């Protein structure tokens, strides 16, 4: 798998190892950390856009299936440096797919994102909702889906694209997200530095005026990769390409998340309402029936468990 030294990837590695799979991680450690990869997995330090490294790794380890998670994932950065995103998320994916097909790899699970949808004006976004990404990040994920779909149609490769919604939580404190980019860690940072949590806009057309998202625990996200790989292996004549929303199908507003954070941490959660952040959809919640029906997967962890585990990780940061 690629990106196994990162936040989501490291969780997937553990879940696959627990299920008895052999795991080889290809990761350039640009944002990942070697100490997140357990001894039971093999770590190859290398760039997924480096054809020689990819070719050697896929062949040396006789790779049967690939989980491709390595990517850049910062929406704002992608607006400023789109070419970085096209290189790492599109060009590198092309190299990986090319080498996978050449080596006869059977299965490919691709990390996609709800950012592919943009701002759909629907209550529940299902996989047939039109994709209109609003950032280069979202566009590169959509291109990755299209590329893998087209390759799958033309070859024997079978692909699942997993569109993650808002991933949070951690299996252990050491595995928590080291980046402070998303709502929950950003609020932890404000609280622990003596500031008030910031709410980016309280005048949205939602019940409490704040944006609604579908928060999904990283442990559930890891589980669906294992379920997906199992299914691809068990049903070699199934569809060549499928896309699934990976969420809970339940919306939580920013104020609801703050309430949970207050209950977990004991901090006073009186927020500071600041202006809207450009590009934020009022509501984006995934319809998750398709993945439940096809893979028998649905989320098990609640928002409170995500916040508790993320808080344990935050407190243990060095
Ligand atoms: C959640 C809500 C903010 C911080 C992003 C990417 C998406 C995916 C997940 C990558 C929004 C509000 C936030 C704060 C706030 N990324 N907020 N105060 O934007 O839904 O999704 O991360 O794969 O593609 O777009 O997540 O956690 O940044 O924000 O009020 O201090 O919290 O405005 O409504 P977002 P987020």
């Amino acid at each position: 798998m690629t990106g196994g030294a990162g936040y989501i990837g490291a969780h997937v590695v553990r879940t696959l190892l627990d299920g008895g799979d052999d795991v080889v991680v290809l990761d350039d450690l640009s944002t990942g950390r070697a100490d997140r990869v357990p001894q039971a997995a093999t770590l190859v330090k290398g760039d997924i856009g480096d054809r020689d490294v990819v070719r050697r790794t896929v062949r040396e380890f006789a790779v049967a299936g690939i989980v491709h998670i390595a990517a850049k994932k910062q929406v704002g950065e992608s607006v400023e440096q789109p070419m970085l995103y096209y290189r790492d998320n599109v060009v590198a994916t092309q190299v990986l797919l090319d080498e996978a097909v050449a080596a006869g790899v059977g299965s490919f699970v691709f990390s996609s994102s709800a950012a592919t949808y943009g701002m759909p004006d629907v209550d529940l976004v299902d996989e047939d909702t039109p994709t209109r990404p609003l950032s280069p990040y979202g566009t590169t994920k959509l291109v990755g889906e299209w590329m893998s779909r087209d390759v799958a149609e033309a070859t024997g490769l079978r692909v699942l694209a997993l569109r993650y919604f808002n991933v949070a939580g951690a299996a252990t404190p050491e595995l928590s997200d080291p980046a402070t980019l998303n709502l929950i860690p950003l609020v932890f940072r404000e609280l622990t530095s003596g500031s008030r949590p910031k709410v980016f806009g309280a005048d949205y057309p939602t019940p409490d005026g704040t944006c609604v998202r579908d928060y999904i625990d990283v442990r559930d996200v890891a589980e669906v990769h294992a379920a997906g790989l199992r299914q691809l292996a068990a049903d070699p004549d199934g569809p060549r390409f499928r896309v699934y929303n990976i969420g809970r199908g339940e919306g939580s507003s920013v104020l609801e998340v703050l309430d949970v954070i207050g209950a977990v941490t004991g901090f006073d959660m009186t927020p500071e309402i600041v202006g809207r952040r450009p590009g934020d959809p009022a509501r984006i919640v995934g319809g998750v029936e398709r993945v439940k029906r096809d893979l028998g997967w649905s989320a098990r962890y609640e928002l409170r468990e995500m916040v508790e585990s993320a808080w344990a990780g935050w407190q243990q940061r060095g």
Side-chain angles (χ1 to χ4, degrees):
M1 74 173 286
T2 73
Y7 163 55
I8 298 176
H11 283 87
V12 176
V13 171
R14 274 166 182 70
T15 303
L16 293 176
L17 289 172
D18 287 348
D21 287 312
D22 289 329
V23 180
V24 179
V25 171
L26 177 59
D27 196 304
D28 67 1
L29 303 180
S30 54
T31 54
R33 284 198 332 245
D35 63 12
R36 287 173 173 270
V37 180
Q39 296 290 331
T42 305
L43 173 62
V44 176
K45 182 176 180 301
D47 181 347
I48 52 158
D50 180 337
R51 189 174 287 277
D52 290 338
V53 171
V54 173
R55 180 174 300 162
R56 250 186 288 122
T57 308
V58 169
R59 289 169 195 258
E60 181 183 341
F61 296 97
V63 169
I66 294 179
V67 177
H68 176 34
I69 298 188
K72 294 237 169 296
K73 63 163 187 182
Q74 296 187 40
V75 173
E77 181 186 60
S78 80
V79 175
E80 285 152 23
Q81 299 184 65
M83 284 301 110
L84 194 59
Y85 279 69
Y86 279 87
R87 190 193 68 194
D88 282 9
N89 296 3
V90 175
V91 177
T93 300
Q94 188 270 337
V95 170
L96 186 65
L97 281 167
D98 209 20
E99 291 302 325
V101 169
V105 172
S107 320
F108 193 84
V109 178
F110 177 65
S111 267
S112 189
S113 169
T116 53
Y117 292 114
M119 284 207 201
D121 188 15
V122 291
D123 258 11
L124 275 187
V125 182
D126 69 24
E127 292 85 349
D128 296 322
T129 303
T131 42
R132 297 201 179 90
L134 290 170
S135 66
Y137 168 68
T139 308
T140 60
K141 284 293 171 185
L142 192 54
V143 173
E145 288 189 9
W146 289 342
M147 199 160 49
S148 54
R149 178 198 63 199
D150 292 346
V151 173
E153 296 298 340
T155 67
L157 187 68
R158 297 180 54 236
V159 175
L160 299 182
L162 306 181
R163 290 180 179 157
Y164 313 152
F165 281 67
N166 289 61
V167 183
T172 63
E174 302 73 44
L175 291 183
S176 71
D177 189 357
T180 314
L181 297 167
N182 299 110
L183 174 63
I184 295 170
L186 283 168
V187 170
F188 290 162
R189 188 172 68 192
E190 299 294 358
L191 295 174
T192 52
S193 63
S195 309
R196 284 155 62 193
K198 291 190 176 51
V199 172
F200 298 156
D203 58 350
Y204 283 95
T206 58
D208 66 19
T210 66
C211 290
V212 173
R213 296 288 181 272
D214 186 345
Y215 296 89
I216 174 80
D217 196 291
V218 68
R219 291 165 284 192
D220 283 322
V221 172
E223 207 53 60
V224 74
H225 289 76
L229 279 175
R230 269 198 305 275
Q231 217 260 357
L232 286 174
D235 179 23
D237 300 320
R240 290 274 173 80
F241 175 85
R242 284 173 287 168
V243 56
Y244 294 117
N245 285 344
I246 306 303
R248 276 186 313 144
E250 237 174 78
S252 311
S253 74
V254 174
L255 290 180
E256 286 167 346
V257 175
L258 293 189
D259 268 354
V260 175
I261 296 176
V264 167
T265 64
F267 277 92
D268 171 18
M269 296 304 295
T270 314
E272 180 185 346
I273 311 286
V274 299
R276 289 186 180 195
R277 190 174 66 175
D280 268 340
R283 173 187 167 90
I284 177 152
V285 178
V288 290
E289 284 309 307
R290 190 186 285 187
V291 64
K292 188 173 180 185
R293 184 193 64 206
D294 290 0
L295 300 186
W297 171 91
S298 55
R300 291 188 299 141
Y301 292 93
E302 300 289 334
L303 181 58
R304 171 135 190 159
E305 297 169 288
M306 296 176 222
V307 171
E308 281 169 349
S309 60
W311 179 235
W314 181 272
Q315 288 175 296
Q316 205 174 291
R317 288 159 69 103

